[in-house]
Amino acid sequence: MTTLRPRALLLATTAAALLTGSAGAGAPFFFGGSNVVSDPGFETVPTSSSAWTYGSNSQSSVHRSGAHSLRGGCTPSPCFTTQTINLQPGIYKLSMYEGSNAGTPNEYTAKLGLAPTTIDVVNSPNTASFGLHTGIVAATGGNTLLKLGIYQGPGFGSIDDVSLIEIDDGAGNNLGAASQTVAAQASREFSDQLFDRFGHSGSPMQLASASEVVVASNDGMTYINGPGHYRAFLSVYGDDARWDSGDVRAHRFGFMLGAEWAPCNSWDIGLAIGRTTSHFNTDTLFTDNSGRADETLGALFANWSPSNMPLYATGVIGYGRSENDFMRENSFGAVGAYNVPTKQWFGGVEAGFDWHTWSHMTVTPFARLDAARLRQNSYMEEVEFGVLVPAFVDAKEQTAARSLLGVRAATDFNLIGRYSWQLSAKAAWQHEFDRNRSVNFSETSGVTFFGTATGATPVANSALVGASLEVPVTDHASLYAGYNGDFGSGQRIHEGEVGFKVTW
């Protein structure tokens, strides 16, 4: 099993790169690897310094470029010329130019490692000076034999300008890994909005009432219920996220609809559903990779805050499903997979207490632990166009868990009119557990190479900040807006929401 990185080691030792033409309409241009064949034009064959080991083949002054080509006139079977090359695992494009020939029988072959013959031209009708032949083949990595053969009887045939170029190292399959983080982020943002509704103790319904928010009575302990026992809310929200120092980018947009019931002064119980769409991209050396996830989430939540003490506890439990589309492409082609499901159960608990209250301000330390358990189905890519080799990606189960320790501050003020506005802010330290985001894959062309691709790895520790503003519009309705930010080394996530609440 080979672990693949976004930057292949192959190009670290070479400066040249070959750009091939677009394999399909609208396809972007991307560099493949360098030609790893030593002496592709056979200019030093058959000297002792040559990288090639040759049979009865020889140099020829008939050439496509340079001064020579490889010449063979073996009969009744091909003569072979070989070269050993230390390869990175991946998919390679093997090419060679065959010299003109008018007679038969003739045969020109090229074979890489243990794969079947990649190029096999028999009794070619080629009458041009040189004709191009190509094939796609996988390499498992390490020292690999490249074997060329010429059979031309009667007469002689030539091969020139042989190239072996890596066109895919499989790292673009980190889309499957990134989608795990994207799915976990969907349930986290969904939960964040529910947890942030209960930022301090006291009846949660007071946060939706448009009348003046009463934090505590004169005795400092008895919390006042806002008007009404029912509440409905609707919000739209989105995010912009970057992981792996920007090598993975994502953005999301969607909505949440929910309802709550306060059966007594100490309890609030609710149900929320949401629908979002995420678009994400990963940067790798050989392919441009993009994904889309249509996400559906639902959760039950409850908040408990006793009327005789400044404490609260909130719990959330939910289920989510994402339908993923993946696409990998470069100038050699494109492969994709569609409607790949990721399912998850998620939940969390938060507890806090009002450490100190002033006339119009409450400061509340809090702690939270939340987690999600995801399962992403296996999938097989299909070819869209060109010669990229589709991958088979194994199913993956993944846990995403974190802890938060922070503080909120909330204040109410009267800016205009008779209603009190509420402004709150928070800051927290977040620690991430189970940070691995990876998938195992295989790609087959002649032989199969296996790999592990990683992407969108969350940082171990990050800072969370947030703020929200609620503006009453009637005695029982208000508008609100909120922001959450997550900042760590190589990680940046911005979330925003706007919504409407009504209580009766």
Side-chain angles (χ1 to χ4, degrees):
M1 182 75 63
T2 302
T3 299
L4 300 179
R5 299 176 176 84
R7 300 292 181 265
L9 298 177
L10 175 63
L11 295 191
T13 57
T14 57
L18 177 66
L19 179 63
T20 66
S22 174
F29 284 88
F30 289 93
F31 285 98
S34 300
N35 185 7
V36 295
V37 177
S38 298
D39 189 18
F42 306 97
E43 307 309 315
T44 62
V45 174
T47 66
S48 60
S49 63
S50 171
W52 295 98
T53 299
Y54 63 98
S56 300
N57 292 324
S58 61
Q59 283 179 312
S60 170
S61 59
V62 177
H63 55 85
R64 177 179 178 270
S65 65
H68 298 94
S69 64
L70 179 70
R71 188 180 192 188
C74 299
T75 184
S77 61
C79 291
F80 292 101
T81 301
T82 62
Q83 181 181 138
T84 299
I85 309 173
N86 189 8
L87 298 178
Q88 298 296 316
I91 303 297
Y92 288 80
K93 181 180 180 181
L94 178 58
S95 304
M96 68 181 188
Y97 285 85
E98 162 220 353
S100 61
N101 64 86
T104 58
N106 57 68
E107 186 174 9
Y108 304 85
T109 61
K111 185 178 186 299
L112 183 67
L114 298 177
T117 301
T118 304
I119 300 174
D120 191 3
V121 184
V122 180
N123 293 339
S124 170
N126 174 44
T127 57
S129 57
F130 275 89
L132 176 63
H133 299 284
T134 64
I136 303 300
V137 62
T140 57
N143 289 331
T144 307
L145 191 69
L146 174 60
K147 186 175 184 180
L148 306 177
I150 300 176
Y151 165 41
Q152 180 70 37
F156 293 90
S158 299
I159 293 174
D160 205 359
D161 295 336
V162 177
S163 69
L164 184 64
I165 299 171
E166 188 172 14
I167 63 173
D168 183 19
D169 62 358
N173 292 298
N174 65 1
L175 269 176
S179 69
Q180 300 164 23
T181 295
V182 170
Q185 189 65 26
S187 60
R188 284 182 177 181
E189 292 177 17
F190 190 83
S191 297
D192 282 344
Q193 295 181 62
L194 300 179
F195 281 117
D196 288 345
R197 302 175 67 77
F198 312 110
H200 58 77
S201 54
S203 170
M205 283 301 176
Q206 70 184 353
L207 298 180
S209 70
S211 60
E212 181 178 359
V213 176
V214 181
V215 175
S217 64
N218 291 334
D219 63 11
M221 295 297 290
T222 303
Y223 287 79
I224 308 302
N225 195 19
H229 291 275
Y230 304 96
R231 178 166 65 186
F233 59 91
L234 172 66
S235 67
V236 293
Y237 64 98
D239 70 28
D240 181 83
R242 291 177 179 245
W243 297 274
D244 300 342
S245 299
D247 283 347
V248 180
R249 303 169 303 281
H251 61 272
R252 169 181 289 105
F253 182 79
F255 71 90
M256 174 189 285
L257 177 66
E260 300 170 26
W261 171 47
C264 61
N265 289 349
S266 299
W267 282 93
D268 186 87
I269 302 169
L271 169 68
I273 58 173
R275 177 75 175 178
T276 55
T277 297
S278 296
H279 297 269
F280 50 101
N281 304 85
T282 67
D283 282 345
T284 53
L285 178 65
F286 291 100
T287 53
D288 182 34
N289 317 296
S290 59
R292 170 184 168 131
D294 292 319
E295 302 154 335
T296 303
L297 304 109
L300 296 170
F301 58 93
N303 183 75
W304 171 73
S305 181
S307 58
N308 61 348
M309 63 182 66
L311 303 174
Y312 77 94
T314 305
V316 175
I317 185 169
Y319 176 79
R321 180 183 174 96
S322 303
E323 294 290 341
N324 296 280
D325 295 339
F326 303 125
M327 175 73 75
R328 299 187 299 124
E329 59 182 322
N330 61 16
S331 28
F332 299 96
V335 291
Y338 305 96
N339 300 319
V340 180
T342 298
K343 305 172 185 177
Q344 62 171 310
W345 287 97
F346 62 91
V349 292
E350 178 180 300
F353 67 97
D354 292 343
W355 173 60
H356 192 70
T357 61
W358 289 269
S359 175
H360 293 283
M361 178 176 286
T362 303
V363 177
T364 307
F366 70 93
R368 185 195 304 174
L369 180 66
D370 60 38
R373 182 64 176 175
L374 303 93
R375 176 177 172 79
Q376 180 174 280
N377 284 14
S378 62
Y379 61 90
M380 180 71 192
E381 293 177 324
E382 57 187 67
V383 177
E384 297 295 320
F385 62 84
V387 296
L388 273 186
V389 175
F392 177 80
V393 179
D394 292 341
K396 183 64 181 279
E397 291 193 11
Q398 177 66 51
T399 298
R402 63 173 177 169
S403 62
L404 281 76
L405 186 64
V407 63
R408 289 188 181 91
T411 185
D412 63 284
F413 59 94
N414 190 292
L415 188 64
I416 56 175
R418 68 186 182 90
Y419 298 124
S420 292
W421 296 19
Q422 186 177 81
L423 177 67
S424 65
K426 71 175 179 181
W429 168 73
Q430 173 180 286
H431 179 71
E432 189 82 34
F433 305 95
D434 300 311
R435 298 172 55 229
N436 175 58
R437 302 290 188 269
S438 64
V439 291
N440 298 327
F441 69 89
S442 59
E443 296 182 20
T444 302
S445 182
V447 297
T448 300
F449 88 93
F450 299 87
T452 299
T454 61
T457 303
V459 297
N461 298 291
S462 60
L464 273 68
V465 296
S468 65
L469 177 66
E470 185 168 339
V471 180
V473 292
T474 72
D475 284 343
H476 292 271
S478 61
L479 300 173
Y480 62 94
Y483 166 80
N484 284 313
D486 183 347
F487 303 95
S489 178
Q491 177 173 301
R492 186 201 72 193
I493 304 172
H494 300 288
E495 311 167 17
E497 66 165 324
V498 294
F500 174 75
K501 303 175 184 177
V502 58
T503 304
W504 68 95

